Amino acid sequence: MERDSQLELFRLVADRLKEAHSRVRALQVPEGVRMALSRKLLAITAAAKHDLSGAAMRLDRLMNDLDEGRFPEEPDRDGTP
């Protein structure tokens, strides 16, 4: 029974990650902002391999930020925010 719920959570996170990647690609934001969001998504994807529920929570926060229009600041040309 627990394995079934874990598998369902995995499917949910995978579907939401796919949706998040599509949303980030479609955003009309500077390339630096898009790169920062992509790095966040990659970190969440990597975390899902070790902590699926934690990754799901991080993904929820990121999706809420996207819904609210909260994006990371674009770094300066020297790489500092």
Side-chain angles (χ1 to χ4, degrees):
M1 196 65 88
E2 182 180 328
R3 180 167 164 76
D4 289 341
S5 64
Q6 190 76 355
L7 187 57
E8 185 58 33
L9 180 59
F10 179 78
R11 284 187 191 118
L12 176 68
V13 170
D15 288 344
R16 298 225 36 223
L17 277 168
K18 186 176 177 180
E19 176 190 348
H21 278 280
S22 294
R23 287 182 63 185
V24 167
R25 273 193 312 272
L27 287 173
Q28 299 296 319
V29 295
E31 190 59 30
V33 173
R34 186 181 329 283
M35 288 175 53
L37 290 167
S38 293
R39 282 192 299 272
K40 285 184 178 203
L41 286 170
L42 289 173
I44 292 169
T45 302
K49 297 175 185 177
H50 306 287
D51 180 14
L52 189 56
S53 61
M57 288 186 294
R58 289 175 65 184
L59 183 55
D60 285 342
R61 284 193 302 266
L62 178 62
M63 294 295 275
N64 286 337
D65 286 347
L66 292 177
D67 289 342
E68 297 292 324
R70 290 188 301 264
F71 307 120
E73 290 184 27
E74 185 174 20
D76 292 334
R77 293 201 186 272
D78 67 355
T80 59

